[in-house]
Amino acid sequence: MTRVSLTVNGQRVSAEVEGRTLLVQLLREHLRLTGTHVGCDTSQCGCCTVHLNGKGVKSCTVLAASCEGATVTTIEGLAPEGKLHPMQEAFREHHALQCGFCTPGMIMSAVDMVRRKGNELDEHTVREQLEGNICRCTGYHNIVKAIQAGAVAMKRT
Amino acid sequence: MAQPARSSRIGEPVRRKEDLRLITGAGCFSDDVSLPGQAYAVMVRSPHAHARLRSIDAGKALTVPGVIAVLTGHDLLADGLKPIPHRPFSPHPADIPLANTDGTPMFTAPHHALVIDKVRHVGEALAMVIAETIAAAKDGAEAVEVDYELLPAVANTAAAARPDAPRLFENARSNVCLDAEAGDGKATAAAFACAAHVVRFETWIPRVTGVPMEPRAAVGAYDASIGHYTLHAGTSGAWRTKMDLAIMLGVAEDAVRVVTRDVGGHFGTRGMLYAEFALVVWAARRAGRPVKWTCERHEAFATDYQGRDLVVEAELALDKDGRFLAMRGSNISNAGGHTTNFSPLRKGVEIMSTIYRVPAAHFRARGIVSNTAPTRPYRSSGRPEVIYVMERLIDLAARQCGFDRVELRRRNLVTAAEMPYTNPFGMIYDSGDYPGVMEKALTLGDWAGFPARRAEARARGKCRGIGVANYVDTASGVPRERAEMTVHPDGTVDVIIGTVSTGQGHETSFAQLVTEWLGVPFDKVRILTGDTEFVRFGGGTHSGRGMRLASIVIWGASRKIIEKGKRIAALLLECEPGTVEFRDGLFARPGAGRTVSLFDVARGARDLLDLSQDLRGPLAAIADETVSVAQFPYGCQVAEVEIDPELGTLEIVRYTAVDDVGRAVNPAIIHGQVHGGIAQGVGQALLEQCYYDPDTGQLLSGSFMDYAMPRADNFPFFNTEYVEIPSPTHPLGMRPAGEGGTAPALGVMINAIADALSEFGVRHVEMPATPERIWRAIREARGSAGERRR
Amino acid sequence: MYDFSYHKPASLDEAASLISGRDDVKLLAGGMSLIPALKLRLATYSDLVDLGAIDALKGIRREGNTLVIGAMTPHAEVVASAEVERAIPALAELAGGIGDPLVRNRGTMGGSIANADPAADYPASVLGLAATVVTNRREIAADQFFLGLFETALKPGEIITAVRFPIPEAAAYCKFPQPASRFALAGVFVAKTAGGVRVAVTGAGPSVFRFKEAEAALAKKFDPAALDGIEVRPDGLNSDIHASAEYRASCVVVLARRAVMKAREAGAR
């Protein structure tokens, strides 16, 4: 067991983890941040996407022990308590979710996309950059629209 | 959304209530539930598709640190657990019956939650290891020693149907469990005898799987002091799961509670109890503490109920003018390793003629078993398969006989004047403007402008094709539903209902109904589902029955509340009950300008001392109705593809869908359903397949590395519209919208591909139409063209 | 996943000493292939040595006519690097097609080539550009580096520190992604250098390989038409549920032609 200390959603936390403990397990099981989901075992679906030191990663493919000193943001910490991030707002406005299971990962991935690609995202870019996130409900139509709108809204705020 | 909602009433694209928790990570999916002191279960699963189970030795596993118990099929039998109570057909009177032609009963066999004697598909659970942690349970599972006697396996549908195929059940005559006929053989033969043209099509609609993004998970608990079981799991209806669990456990219904909160997708995969659900509650009793099981994605690929898998041989007879005279053929549906469900077989064969006027038809319908995962209805159960067959037959007929494919459809579509129309299998289509909807889709999809787009594409070296496909969907399923509605004096309304939203937004759209009918604020309506502690009956979410039946029972309960409310309001307003009017949440005494609100009346019902017995108490009503007629949503899709002939790769460049939804409650949700449905249908047409090695039954598509899921870059934006022609067989005119996206998508995609490749002489491409299949089709067509030239 | 001891050394020497003489210790780079394999219990190690804290393994720099990329440089940095874009834009484009954006934020060049997945993208660029793999012990020419299916010339205890890419006159990569995994069903990297033309193929065979007939033809004339009539024999190519060897063979030729066209267009700009 190793002790790992990191900042999650602005809070300093530390936990005893095994070498094999994944970041997503640390978040879901140790910290009970269950908004980050596990949808696969091959790092394909993106349901577990969080921001690690400001960049989008699949938390099912990151060892918790490797996050010593890191800063992690999950869907629960994307916006201040009681507020919505513009990307969350856009997903709601555009009906970009149905069952909602892939949604936290989609939103975290979308915010990372804006970091990498800017606020003016054409349809092709969004679709291409969404390669790491799978949704089964929406056919992606409204997700793409929401990300485009959310990216613009992020510029305003 | 493009158009913000103007109100929260019916017809408005109201923002979803459930979204706030789901976009902030505050949802509660099955794996988010953890109970104090819980142990963890891991299944020991068979790596073989077909094997006799000689013995299981748990000795070593029990020495693994952290392992608490190893339970096997024999433990299960010793404890009296019953098999999973599969119902091969859903009990709706509108569907036609299918029975063995020779009069013998359909073959079914018990499906135990753990294998007793014989493994029938890869991944079937043989034993369950309970441990302090998941890791310890996995270590334990690896240490369980299983002795198998390997048997020859058969996975392929057509092969499994043969009399000499390896047999799954020794007490069956063959793997064919059901061999039925539908339609009129004599009339069909007579019609074929005088046909000017006969078009033949043989195909296999391969096995796919629903892949809800949330893998299954279940937590079982047992209260020994009162002998009570609780299951927390994602289901499509908690009540039915509870009843099935009670049967399996052999206990009274009130000894079981099922709790379902957020469910991460369903698509039919959660339509029936899973073995693991019964196992965790049983294990909780054995272990004396809660037991949790979380499915990993590779397990889901091997053990979720899968879908489709239909072999079809079909012939269409036409007269010299292209009028359809008859159709005939054979359908073989593959139920997988157990006799779980033959509903897709029936749902398909009964509308083989789909939306077209076909005077006579006759089909043989067989349901078989094979060494593959069990199947069940999957989105639009049975219909996408047969619609694909019919739409392909029409395009093939047009090509073979020299008709225009749109004209051929126009000539044969059932018209509004012919409604209600009885199809050649006996299904009665209620209503609709089939030709009008097709024309609308052709216009939206700019069918007329296609030649110019094709020419432009050709200049870029691309082969562009366009396809059209119509669909009809029989919405039947469990016919009964129940709503319990209570108006509280604090200004809220609770509706308890037995369907469970698995993404359809019931909390929103059902609340819109209440807002419309009771005139209460949308935010004050709570839709309560998914917990048998208060849900007394529920048919679950499937077969387009969520809104279709909820609207009926919520309407029924609303009317009862208004009627009861008028009588109480009359006392408050000091007038005759017959004169009280109700509008926008207010009861009014006409002419007097006096009103009382629904909530005032609820308070009155609670507080007034001079109320008659039947009015006293909570202002509440129950509507429990059985709807024995089906609804028939229908519509049309037009799709355009561009193919790179060198690689065989394909891009969908336009996609149009028009659906008749009867009456739209929430347009945003309806469009969303159609979008998602299209993606699932297109996924099957182009990408997805549960690929079983035909000889060994090994699953070669057991992860997202090999099962090709549709992703954002596989699609363009969809152009979806709907029409609202009220269904005369639904009291509010509604038609379900959940399956329409998928139903025609297989056919429209393959029609578009075949059109794109027509210049090479390609007749057809089987699904999934992978780049290699397209490339081969071009190559073979070119090759045979070369042969002909020589 | 089986448990293991986790180490995160701060220096290359420390990392080397942790793995020295032990075959049950595995180096962890980005973990994008290793961690999924561990999760599915396809591999087991007593110790994992995370190279993530060794700054010397990171970074992109130009040294004369060579682009040097540190082994622990994530794909996303290669994609976004102005240096790479100037020197070998084809490499940036290739990196931009590896996995998905989230994978690219973690996955590294060193991890990818040490893993030598037959369908990975980076090996095509390493072989196609005749790069040199630099380790803590020696330098290995690309032609000697990839030995077979998941097999490289790396010796036990050896750690890749960087890859040195000679800057070509023109280069391009064309990839046909496998529809499920999005790894290369076939991918072809074409490079025109002062020393000749190289064509490296990934995804199609058990390991990345050079398409020598195409190289010879393109050496005469660096033009897609030079490949007319040239075929790849399907014997020995991969066949699986996604594509047959025969189809892969056909794709390789088409992709090679398109890569040449793309390289010429890039050169003309």
Side-chain angles (χ1 to χ4, degrees):
Chain A
M1 299 289 264
T2 343
R3 176 149 291 269
V4 56
S5 301
L6 64 165
T7 303
V8 178
N9 298 335
Q11 308 263 319
R12 291 283 297 166
V13 295
S14 73
E16 286 286 328
V17 297
E18 290 182 311
R20 61 180 162 182
T21 305
L22 300 166
L23 175 57
V24 70
Q25 292 171 317
L26 174 70
L27 296 170
R28 285 182 58 82
E29 290 160 27
H30 295 246
L31 306 177
R32 299 297 302 154
L33 291 168
T34 53
T36 302
H37 298 150
V38 177
C40 77
D41 40 23
T42 52
S43 313
Q44 301 270 322
C45 77
C47 293
C48 65
T49 303
V50 301
H51 295 167
L52 175 61
N53 296 326
K55 291 176 180 169
V57 300
K58 292 182 169 173
S59 63
C60 74
T61 317
V62 174
L63 296 178
S66 74
C67 298
E68 175 63 35
T71 300
V72 173
T73 305
T74 71
I75 189 71
E76 291 93 341
L78 189 61
E81 185 80 37
K83 293 226 161 71
L84 291 179
H85 185 279
M87 194 59 80
Q88 289 171 315
E89 196 72 72
F91 268 63
R92 182 160 73 155
E93 284 300 323
H94 288 79
H95 184 36
L97 59 149
Q98 290 180 27
C99 83
F101 190 80
C102 75
T103 308
M106 282 283 175
I107 291 173
M108 297 308 283
S109 186
V111 173
D112 190 59
M113 189 189 304
V114 176
R115 175 185 69 81
R116 287 178 286 106
K117 294 283 173 184
N119 299 81
E120 304 292 332
L121 298 169
D122 61 37
E123 180 196 349
H124 176 77
T125 302
V126 176
R127 290 186 183 276
E128 195 180 49
Q129 295 293 315
L130 217 50
E131 195 174 5
N133 294 79
I134 301 176
C135 168
R136 188 56 149 172
C137 295
T138 65
Y140 304 97
H141 182 103
N142 287 339
I143 292 177
V144 176
K145 300 234 166 185
I147 293 175
Q148 290 183 294
V152 171
M154 280 170 71
K155 195 175 185 176
R156 285 199 297 266
T157 51
Chain B
M1 63 196 63
Q3 291 250 311
R6 290 161 300 184
S7 75
S8 300
R9 299 174 65 142
I10 289 179
E12 292 297 324
V14 181
R15 255 180 9 178
R16 296 203 319 173
K17 286 187 173 207
E18 38 276 269
D19 288 358
L20 191 58
R21 67 173 183 274
L22 297 172
I23 58 177
T24 53
C28 184
F29 294 92
S30 302
D31 188 55
D32 300 343
V33 176
S34 282
L35 299 178
Q38 72 189 11
Y40 296 86
V42 163
M43 303 299 152
V44 179
R45 298 192 182 277
S46 171
H48 308 294
H50 202 191
R52 207 171 305 285
L53 187 56
R54 282 211 192 100
S55 65
I56 298 177
D57 183 353
K60 255 207 262 177
L62 288 166
T63 67
V64 170
V67 169
I68 298 163
V70 178
L71 300 175
T72 68
H74 290 286
D75 298 318
L76 182 141
L77 287 184
D79 277 7
L81 254 74
K82 308 286 186 301
I84 302 173
H86 292 298
R87 290 164 203 88
F89 293 110
S90 67
H92 198 285
D95 292 305
I96 63 163
L98 284 186
N100 275 339
T101 310
D102 67 5
T104 59
M106 178 174 77
F107 177 80
T108 59
H111 176 195
H112 286 280
L114 291 171
V115 168
I116 309 293
D117 56 345
K118 199 178 170 195
V119 168
R120 294 187 176 86
H121 67 91
V122 166
E124 196 162 15
L126 315 155
M128 171 173 47
V129 179
I130 315 294
E132 297 291 343
T133 63
I134 291 177
K138 282 190 180 181
D139 291 344
E142 280 183 359
V144 172
E145 290 171 313
V146 184
D147 187 13
Y148 299 96
E149 178 194 338
L150 300 191
L151 300 169
V154 62
N156 176 274
T157 308
R162 287 181 202 124
D164 58 347
R167 195 176 304 170
L168 270 77
F169 296 94
E170 275 75 14
N171 56 335
R173 286 178 295 177
S174 71
N175 292 326
V176 179
C177 305
L178 174 66
D179 191 345
E181 285 178 55
D184 184 338
K186 266 194 193 153
T188 304
F192 266 86
C194 46
H197 308 282
V198 172
V199 183
R200 187 172 171 79
F201 179 49
E202 293 173 19
T203 190
W204 176 38
I205 296 91
R207 179 77 63 95
V208 293
T209 182
V211 200
M213 291 315 295
E214 183 201 11
R216 287 179 279 137
V219 192
Y222 180 70
D223 183 342
S225 68
I226 52 167
H228 186 269
Y229 297 88
T230 302
L231 171 73
H232 299 266
T235 67
S236 62
W239 187 84
R240 292 207 307 157
T241 307
K242 162 192 152 131
M243 299 305 278
D244 288 342
L245 260 187
I247 292 170
M248 288 183 76
L249 295 164
V251 298
E253 292 161 21
D254 63 0
V256 181
R257 176 185 178 191
V258 174
V259 184
T260 292
R261 295 184 67 187
D262 290 312
V263 184
H266 164 31
F267 319 116
T269 65
R270 300 188 208 262
M272 183 64 205
L273 179 95
Y274 278 99
E276 294 87 353
F277 293 3
L279 293 174
V280 291
V281 291
W282 170 55
R285 178 163 71 79
R286 297 272 305 218
R289 58 198 275 196
V291 173
K292 180 171 184 171
W293 171 77
T294 303
C295 188
E296 297 191 1
R297 182 58 68 185
H298 67 272
E299 287 182 281
F301 273 114
T303 65
D304 277 4
Y305 294 122
Q306 300 180 344
R308 313 278 190 247
D309 202 340
L310 186 77
V311 170
V312 181
E313 297 171 14
E315 285 183 310
L316 178 67
L318 302 89
D319 73 9
K320 64 176 179 26
D321 300 319
R323 276 184 208 91
F324 300 162
L325 299 175
M327 67 189 301
R328 65 185 174 196
S330 147
N331 290 3
I332 308 175
S333 173
N334 189 338
H338 289 280
T339 49
T340 43
N341 200 289
F342 293 108
S343 182
L345 176 69
R346 174 172 71 173
K347 289 279 202 180
V349 78
E350 70 189 12
I351 60 152
M352 210 64 219
S353 53
T354 85
I355 203 164
Y356 301 97
R357 192 184 311 102
V358 179
H362 180 252
F363 267 75
R364 183 180 180 190
R366 276 170 287 178
I368 64 121
V369 287
S370 71
N371 295 115
T372 57
T375 63
R376 278 192 46 83
Y378 166 56
R379 199 165 192 170
S380 191
S381 172
R383 276 80 55 131
E385 297 92 311
V386 302
I387 287 157
Y388 153 79
V389 169
M390 188 61 172
E391 295 296 329
R392 286 301 295 134
L393 274 170
I394 296 172
D395 273 22
L396 289 168
R399 183 101 65 97
Q400 182 180 318
C401 316
F403 297 111
D404 176 81
R405 47 201 168 125
V406 170
E407 205 44 56
L408 203 50
R409 286 177 170 82
R410 285 186 184 125
R411 202 162 301 169
N412 291 285
L413 276 175
V414 173
T415 61
E418 294 167 271
M419 294 291 176
Y421 172 80
T422 304
N423 86 2
F425 302 96
M427 299 295 288
I428 304 166
Y429 301 166
D430 58 355
S431 65
D433 180 9
Y434 301 168
V437 164
M438 183 175 81
E439 297 304 330
K440 187 173 167 74
L442 293 170
T443 305
L444 279 173
D446 189 22
W447 188 273
F450 174 72
R453 295 193 294 278
R454 169 175 268 175
E456 184 278 332
R458 185 162 288 136
R460 288 182 280 112
K462 296 288 171 69
C463 305
R464 189 157 171 143
I466 191 167
V468 58
N470 292 297
Y471 81 91
V472 63
D473 189 67
T474 319
S476 52
V478 175
R480 182 182 160 204
E481 191 51 78
R482 182 181 193 272
E484 199 177 316
M485 192 185 288
T486 308
V487 180
H488 297 290
D490 67 358
T492 59
V493 177
D494 285 347
V495 180
I496 294 171
I497 193 157
T499 63
V500 162
S501 174
T502 55
Q504 300 86 346
H506 293 175
E507 287 168 59
T508 304
S509 57
F510 293 0
Q512 285 179 256
L513 303 178
V514 179
T515 296
E516 174 81 34
W517 294 327
L518 293 186
V520 296
F522 173 73
D523 294 341
K524 299 293 184 187
V525 182
R526 288 198 306 173
I527 306 296
L528 304 171
T529 68
D531 187 341
T532 60
E533 198 72 354
F534 52 77
V535 174
R536 303 274 176 252
F537 179 84
T541 303
H542 62 269
S543 308
R545 70 182 295 292
M547 176 57 79
R548 177 167 56 96
L549 297 193
S551 59
I552 292 173
V553 290
I554 291 174
W555 172 233
S558 299
R559 276 181 305 173
K560 285 185 188 177
I561 281 181
I562 293 167
E563 284 317 305
K564 195 171 166 184
K566 280 182 179 171
R567 293 170 60 199
I568 299 166
L571 292 173
L572 296 169
L573 296 169
E574 297 166 319
C575 63
E576 283 300 307
T579 65
V580 176
E581 289 176 355
F582 180 75
R583 185 191 289 174
D584 295 334
L586 298 175
F587 293 94
R589 177 180 166 179
R594 282 183 63 193
T595 62
V596 286
S597 81
L598 186 65
F599 301 109
D600 294 334
V601 168
R603 194 171 304 108
R606 186 189 65 190
D607 299 340
L608 288 177
L609 297 175
D610 52 348
L611 283 183
S612 64
Q613 192 64 35
D614 63 324
L615 296 179
R616 217 175 288 166
L619 182 58
I622 292 170
D624 189 331
E625 299 197 28
T626 299
V627 180
S628 52
V629 290
Q631 269 70 53
F632 292 88
Y634 65 95
C636 182
Q637 293 184 352
V638 175
E640 250 173 272
V641 299
E642 278 189 10
I643 288 171
D644 174 337
E646 280 192 312
L647 291 172
T649 48
L650 171 152
E651 187 187 352
I652 304 170
V653 283
R654 283 173 85 111
Y655 206 110
T656 304
V658 180
D659 298 88
D660 183 356
V661 301
R663 184 179 185 189
V665 175
N666 186 317
I669 289 176
I670 287 171
H671 287 299
Q673 286 291 313
V674 177
H675 298 156
I678 291 170
Q680 262 172 326
V682 169
Q684 165 137 37
L686 302 182
L687 296 162
E688 299 175 43
Q689 183 176 0
C690 294
Y691 195 101
Y692 286 96
D693 183 291
D695 300 322
T696 64
Q698 284 298 322
L699 179 64
L700 303 180
S701 55
S703 79
F704 285 140
M705 297 294 278
D706 288 302
Y707 189 89
M709 286 291 283
R711 303 204 198 191
D713 58 6
N714 292 118
F715 302 107
F717 283 130
F718 307 118
N719 185 10
T720 59
E721 289 201 12
Y722 58 76
V723 298
E724 294 176 279
I725 300 174
S727 164
T729 54
H730 186 281
L732 303 155
M734 293 176 187
R735 301 171 198 264
E739 327 264 44
T742 307
L746 283 55
V748 81
M749 283 312 300
I750 301 300
N751 278 351
I753 291 168
D755 181 53
L757 302 182
S758 59
E759 62 180 275
F760 303 106
V762 170
R763 182 175 181 266
H764 175 66
V765 180
E766 279 282 274
M767 294 186 291
T770 58
E772 174 160 1
R773 282 210 165 122
I774 291 172
W775 172 82
R776 279 192 186 280
I778 295 171
R779 211 169 64 142
E780 280 158 21
R782 276 176 168 162
S784 58
E787 294 282 312
R788 280 199 297 276
R789 274 199 295 276
R790 277 198 292 275
Chain C
M1 215 184 306
Y2 301 108
D3 201 15
F4 48 79
S5 297
Y6 172 84
H7 310 272
K8 196 170 188 179
S11 74
L12 194 57
D13 287 347
E14 199 187 325
S17 72
L18 280 164
I19 61 168
S20 165
R22 299 191 43 193
D23 55 10
D24 56 350
V25 177
K26 183 79 173 172
L27 293 172
L28 173 66
M32 294 297 102
S33 297
L34 179 61
I35 293 175
L38 292 172
K39 275 161 63 176
L40 294 170
R41 297 193 163 203
L42 301 174
T44 171
Y45 302 101
S46 71
D47 296 72
L48 247 60
V49 176
D50 186 343
L51 300 173
I54 306 172
D55 288 340
L57 300 180
K58 292 175 190 163
I60 297 167
R61 63 182 188 277
R62 181 151 178 176
E63 290 180 0
N65 217 20
T66 305
L67 189 67
V68 184
I69 300 186
M72 285 298 288
T73 308
H75 312 325
E77 283 180 28
V78 175
V79 177
S81 160
E83 200 71 72
V84 177
E85 189 57 39
R86 269 194 302 274
I88 318 177
L91 189 60
E93 196 195 329
L94 174 145
I98 300 174
D100 60 61
L102 308 165
V103 165
R104 295 196 284 272
N105 282 338
R106 291 291 287 177
T108 64
M109 176 172 287
S112 170
I113 64 172
N115 188 45
D117 188 303
D121 298 299
Y122 266 140
S125 63
V126 171
L127 191 62
L129 288 164
T132 301
V133 179
V134 184
T135 77
N136 56 338
R137 296 185 188 163
R138 58 181 169 145
E139 299 200 343
I140 310 169
D143 283 315
Q144 274 77 54
F145 185 80
F146 298 103
L147 303 182
L149 185 69
F150 294 106
E151 200 189 340
T152 68
L154 290 170
K155 296 274 190 297
E158 198 165 10
I159 303 172
I160 300 175
T161 58
V163 181
R164 304 168 61 85
F165 291 95
I167 294 168
E169 290 171 19
Y173 180 61
C174 277
K175 172 182 180 176
F176 183 156
Q178 192 255 58
S181 70
R182 305 291 180 105
F183 272 77
L185 189 114
V188 178
F189 197 98
V190 170
K192 183 168 186 275
T193 67
V197 175
R198 288 172 71 102
V199 181
V201 179
T202 189
S207 171
V208 64
F209 66 89
R210 283 174 65 186
F211 184 4
K212 298 247 169 106
E213 296 87 338
E215 290 181 358
L218 292 168
K220 289 185 196 131
K221 191 169 188 211
F222 194 69
D223 186 302
L227 297 174
D228 287 353
I230 288 182
E231 286 183 8
V232 178
R233 286 159 54 94
D235 319 353
L237 294 190
N238 301 335
S239 254
D240 53 35
I241 64 170
H242 303 288
S244 66
E246 196 186 10
Y247 177 60
R248 279 188 164 91
S250 162
C251 288
V252 167
V253 178
V254 174
L255 294 172
R257 240 188 345 251
R258 292 185 185 181
V260 172
M261 207 178 309
K262 203 152 103 179
R264 280 162 52 106
E265 282 165 12
R269 272 207 303 272

